[in-house]
């Protein structure tokens, strides 16, 4: 199977039309929201911010960024195992 060099691939849709992109964004919001709310409450009562909570937010944002970059850089079609949503592996392989 020959593949085109990544520079020869023309985009067919905007990243904003990607379910992967929006899934990553919504997952990041769901993961960050409780931590931010907790930090705001703690800051209001103690005047301090927990550095561990900040690092949790950084990790979530970094992994979300990598997920989005993975989606943007995807150049080959993928298949999923039989019985799962998505394209199945072609019979010839």
């Amino acid at each position: 199977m020959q593949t085109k060099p990544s520079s020869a691939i023309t985009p067919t849709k905007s990243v904003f039309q990607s379910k992967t992109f929006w899934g990553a964004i919504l997952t990041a919001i769901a993961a960050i929201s409780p931590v931010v709310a907790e930090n705001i409450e703690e800051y209001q009562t103690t005047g301090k911010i927990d550095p561990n909570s900040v690092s949790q937010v950084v990790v979530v944002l970094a992994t979300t960024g990598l997920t989005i970059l993975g989606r943007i850089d995807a150049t080959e079609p993928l298949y999923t195992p039989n019985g799962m949503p998505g394209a199945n592996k072609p019979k010839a392989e």
Side-chain angles (χ1 to χ4, degrees):
M1 179 169 125
Q2 292 181 338
T3 59
K4 297 178 188 177
S6 61
S7 61
I9 295 174
T10 56
T12 57
K13 68 179 180 180
S14 166
V15 70
F16 299 114
Q17 294 174 310
S18 168
K19 292 178 198 167
T20 304
F21 173 83
W22 289 112
I25 295 296
L26 293 174
T27 300
I29 291 169
I32 291 171
S33 295
V35 175
V36 170
E38 201 174 285
N39 268 332
I40 290 171
E41 185 177 329
E42 184 177 337
Y43 184 76
Q44 288 174 335
T45 57
T46 66
K48 297 179 181 178
I49 295 176
D50 179 20
N52 292 324
S53 297
V54 174
S55 68
Q56 288 175 350
V57 170
V58 170
V59 168
V60 169
L61 291 176
T63 56
T64 301
L66 287 175
T67 300
I68 292 169
L69 283 175
R71 175 63 200 121
I72 290 170
D73 289 342
T75 58
E76 297 178 6
L78 298 176
Y79 65 88
T80 59
N82 291 342
M84 294 187 72
N88 291 333
K89 185 175 183 178
K91 301 270 187 224
E93 291 183 22

